[in-house]
Amino acid sequence: CCQPYHMMSGAPGAPAAARGKEPLAYAKIATKGDPIMPFYITDQYASDVDENGVPRKIEVTLGRSPQPGGNVEMFDADFHIGNRMKISKKHALIFWNHELQVFQVKSICKNAVKVNGQTYAGSSDGKSGTPCTLESQSCIQVADGTP
């Protein structure tokens, strides 16, 4: 299954605990050219595990950040990817597909998500977007930008 691994990139400006040896995580989300700290998908996002403690369900939401001085309570995405108005408060969901043993992403709003330049539609109900399998170094784009 999705065994955690140590990522060794040691992001510049990371807290001391993350320098040199990054947290034990299943995946890392980082932005290109933005001053947003990397986000690690760790055990805290596993909502269901098997008898050996291996995650069966992991879900992380990507969404808009509040404007400076805005009400943070209204913006409850797990990873904030910018405050452009084209980004929904909850725009995309990255999740572990236990059956396929892969991470996937899908839009959870009416807007599409692009992965490696290919568009994956959102949905009119804002919940049933088309999923896309992610690979190492996949480039996810929302709202004409790259998280």
Side-chain angles (χ1 to χ4, degrees), residues 102-122:
V102 295
F103 275 103
Q104 294 186 308
V105 64
K106 70 176 183 176
S107 172
I108 53 173
C109 66
K110 294 179 182 179
N111 302 314
V113 171
K114 283 186 180 181
V115 178
N116 299 326
Q118 185 170 345
T119 301
Y120 294 86

Side-chain angles (χ1 to χ4, degrees), residues 51-67:
E51 61 280 352
N52 297 315
V54 176
R56 283 191 280 238
K57 184 174 183 179
I58 301 173
E59 294 183 342
V60 173
T61 55
L62 308 179
R64 184 172 73 231
S65 307
Q67 296 292 330

Side-chain angles (χ1 to χ4, degrees), residues 3-134:
Q3 295 299 319
Y5 58 93
H6 286 284
M7 295 169 290
M8 303 307 289
S9 66
R19 285 190 208 121
K21 186 175 181 185
E22 294 188 21
L24 189 63
Y26 300 101
K28 173 183 174 182
I29 304 169
T31 58
K32 271 188 170 178
D34 284 331
I36 301 172
M37 293 296 294
F39 177 81
Y40 301 95
I41 300 175
T42 63
D43 285 339
Q44 78 184 66
Y45 296 99
S47 59
D48 183 28
V49 295
D50 67 16
E51 61 280 352
N52 297 315
V54 176
R56 283 191 280 238
K57 184 174 183 179
I58 301 173
E59 294 183 342
V60 173
T61 55
L62 308 179
R64 184 172 73 231
S65 307
Q67 296 292 330
N71 183 354
V72 177
E73 308 290 317
M74 294 176 56
F75 296 83
D76 60 351
D78 296 309
F79 184 63
H80 294 155
I81 55 176
N83 59 15
R84 294 185 310 269
M85 292 307 291
K86 288 185 176 183
I87 302 170
S88 297
K89 290 178 186 175
K90 284 193 174 179
H91 198 105
L93 177 72
I94 294 178
F95 62 97
W96 176 248
N97 183 321
H98 184 67
E99 184 177 309
L100 298 176
Q101 296 287 293
V102 295
F103 275 103
Q104 294 186 308
V105 64
K106 70 176 183 176
S107 172
I108 53 173
C109 66
K110 294 179 182 179
N111 302 314
V113 171
K114 283 186 180 181
V115 178
N116 299 326
Q118 185 170 345
T119 301
Y120 294 86
S123 63
S124 59
D125 66 4
K127 297 177 185 171
S128 55
T130 306
C132 170
T133 296
L134 298 173

